[in-house]
Amino acid sequence: VLPEVTPAVSGVITLAALAPAMLATALAASKGAKTTATFERSLVHSSLSAFVWGWHVHEKAILGALVPLGLLATQNGAATEARLYLRLSALGLFALFPLFTHPRETPTKALCYLAFMRLAWNLLVKGADGGTAQQIRLTRVDWVFCAALAALFIFAEIAHPLLLAPRGKLEFLPLMLISVTCAAGICLCWLASAISLSREALDLYKKGAPRQ
């Protein structure tokens, strides 16, 4: 049996998760540096921390991090943010699929998902300069998650309804697999954001200027 997580414990963990954002913003302000970019990255990290570590969070709350991150990802040279946006969008939007329960909705949600991801890729990668575009390219980890999401979609939307659901077996298995996979990927996105802000805070402490 898993231990119970109380709201107080969740609140303490969330505050601890905000440390990189608070530290980077405070250092930027104290050294008289331009704080706009640092504040924007901190805002994204804070929203993502609240989503990952909050006590009771709905799947749609991922938009709280995606919207400001999308604005930040379009800036020149924002390869780190653009890559994070693509990863978080792929995982966060896929996690919403179980909310559409009717089989007739499957083609629509699949087409909307693929169209959005293709559009985001074209705007961020093809619209960036050569150096930035090269940094946004998919890594092996990205390809692993893409393959996992594709396999999950086939199982949850086709194989399970045809083979297992009619016999009343493993009714909640698709939801569990989608939740665990997307949660693991989003936690990795949060970790990447925390590491990026921690490095920025360290640069501010040593050099007194934020990265641009």
Side-chain angles (χ1 to χ4, degrees), residues 14-121:
T14 302
L15 288 176
L18 296 176
M22 293 188 290
L23 184 59
T25 304
L27 284 172
S30 66
K31 293 181 178 295
K34 293 182 178 180
T35 60
T36 302
T38 302
F39 177 78
E40 291 173 344
R41 284 187 282 269
S42 298
L43 176 64
V44 170
H45 182 76
S46 299
S47 299
L48 188 55
S49 296
F51 178 80
V52 172
W53 303 109
W55 186 68
H56 181 72
V57 180
H58 196 275
E59 294 93 333
K60 295 191 291 291
I62 191 64
L63 294 174
L66 279 176
V67 171
L69 181 57
L71 298 175
L72 188 58
T74 59
Q75 297 181 7
N76 292 331
T80 301
E81 289 74 22
R83 185 168 56 247
L84 181 61
Y85 178 78
L86 291 172
R87 291 171 174 171
L88 197 59
S89 294
L91 294 161
L93 297 180
F94 192 91
L96 300 179
F97 277 13
L99 299 179
F100 302 92
T101 58
H102 298 290
R104 64 176 180 272
E105 297 171 330
T106 300
T108 302
K109 65 184 179 184
L111 289 175
C112 288
Y113 178 81
L114 294 174
F116 175 82
M117 293 307 304
R118 183 61 184 180
L119 178 61
W121 175 266

Side-chain angles (χ1 to χ4, degrees), residues 27-28 31 33 199-211:
L27 284 172
K31 293 181 178 295
R199 288 175 176 172
E200 182 170 345
L202 184 60
D203 289 342
L204 284 164
Y205 179 76
K206 290 182 177 180
K207 303 176 183 179
R211 69 180 178 89

Side-chain angles (χ1 to χ4, degrees), residues 143-167:
W143 283 114
V144 168
F145 271 102
C146 287
L149 293 181
L152 273 177
F153 181 83
I154 294 173
F155 174 76
E157 303 294 342
I158 300 175
H160 186 272
L162 292 177
L163 301 177
L164 297 177
R167 293 184 290 176

